[in-house]
Amino acid sequence: DGGITQSPKYLFRKEGQNVTLSCEQNLNHDAMYWYRQDPGQGLRLIYYSQIVNDFQKGDIAEGYSVSREKKESFPLTVTSAQKNPTAFYLCASSIGSGTGRSNQPQHFGDGTRLSIL
Amino acid sequence: GENVEQHPSTLSVQEGDSAVIKCTYSDSASNYFPWYKQELGKRPQLIIDIRSNVGEKKDQRIAVTLNKTAKHFSLHITETQPEDSAVYFCAARGGGADGLTFGKGTHLIIQP
């Protein structure tokens, strides 16, 4: 969707290096998510944030970190502790969570493809 | 946590025929079930979703059915067209969770 911007489109990581993937949205959405997609696989949840200054681990959080200092931004850092980082990373957002708002659609950015040099 | 199984992994149908993709989920508290279409190298796009208080939802050639008792839901595409060729993912939002749990995808091939 045009309202979610991920950058860069392609990223290469050297051994022992941390890299940060950017995700910005102008949809005024409260909730933001990071997913990882491996070839031929479904998406797996890394981290999510329901509100500014708060985030929770998803199913595969080890080796990743996030921050949510602004409503519009939810950057993902792939640390050197993530031994198999090569994947397609997708950021998503939805209106919000909580009573009455939890089952709202999630819309995705165009993704960042990360590879190891 | 939630677990979503999706079948088949590949589905080939003749143009104009119908296609059905099936998913099962494990968490009886799951209450939201979206379907996404993903073309090669692109982002997943939401095509239809259903909530647990509804048994069926239709949008033109696409329909989704939900059986809460059996914990399965299905995507039905009628009068398939070449542009329907893509990978389709089902997902479920588990009770108490916020993120989605996805199936592994179905590669739908429309034969001319």
Side-chain angles (χ1 to χ4, degrees):
Chain A
D1 292 347
I4 304 172
T5 302
Q6 288 188 242
S7 62
K9 190 169 183 177
Y10 299 95
L11 187 59
F12 298 92
R13 195 193 86 170
K14 296 179 181 178
E15 289 289 337
Q17 184 183 43
N18 293 355
V19 291
T20 298
L21 284 60
S22 171
C23 179
E24 304 276 332
Q25 54 98 1
N26 61 4
L27 302 169
N28 200 33
H29 285 175
D30 284 320
M32 297 185 74
Y33 311 83
W34 274 105
Y35 293 89
R36 168 181 172 142
Q37 185 175 30
D38 292 282
Q41 300 294 315
L43 285 69
R44 293 183 289 166
L45 182 66
I46 305 173
Y47 268 97
Y48 64 98
S49 169
Q50 298 175 347
I51 198 167
V52 175
N53 292 324
D54 186 52
F55 49 83
Q56 287 80 39
K57 293 182 179 179
D59 300 320
I60 55 166
E62 186 174 351
Y64 300 97
S65 66
V66 293
S67 63
R68 186 82 187 280
E69 297 176 1
K70 298 188 299 181
K71 187 175 185 178
E72 307 78 35
S73 179
F74 191 40
L76 173 74
T77 296
V78 184
T79 75
S80 56
Q82 173 50 246
K83 297 306 179 187
N84 183 23
T86 298
F88 188 41
Y89 290 85
L90 288 155
C91 177
S93 71
S94 66
I95 289 175
S97 58
T99 302
R101 306 181 77 196
S102 58
N103 289 334
Q104 297 302 315
Q106 292 183 18
H107 299 281
F108 288 85
D110 285 332
T112 293
R113 219 166 272 284
L114 176 63
S115 302
I116 294 182
L117 280 178
Chain B
E2 176 64 278
N3 183 49
V4 176
E5 299 284 341
Q6 183 172 347
H7 299 280
S9 56
T10 303
L11 178 59
S12 181
V13 301
Q14 290 294 125
E15 182 178 348
D17 288 350
S18 295
V20 180
I21 302 170
K22 299 181 179 182
C23 289
T24 61
Y25 61 98
S26 61
D27 186 349
S28 57
S30 288
N31 51 20
Y32 176 64
F33 308 91
W35 286 87
Y36 287 85
K37 175 183 179 182
Q38 187 178 32
E39 297 177 359
L40 189 63
K42 297 193 175 180
R43 67 179 134 193
Q45 297 215 325
L46 180 71
I47 56 172
I48 197 167
D49 58 8
I50 191 167
R51 291 166 179 78
S52 58
N53 58 346
V54 175
E56 183 174 358
K57 184 177 178 180
K58 189 173 182 180
D59 182 4
Q60 299 183 337
R61 296 187 298 109
I62 295 173
V64 57
T65 59
L66 172 65
N67 183 327
K68 288 173 57 179
T69 302
K71 289 189 284 187
H72 68 70
F73 56 114
S74 300
L75 178 72
H76 305 252
I77 305 174
T78 59
E79 302 172 14
T80 53
Q81 301 169 3
E83 53 265 36
D84 294 331
S85 293
V87 179
Y88 291 80
F89 292 97
C90 63
R93 180 184 176 275
D98 195 56
L100 296 171
T101 300
F102 284 80
K104 292 190 174 181
T106 295
H107 186 193
L108 178 61
I109 301 166
I110 307 301
Q111 303 278 7

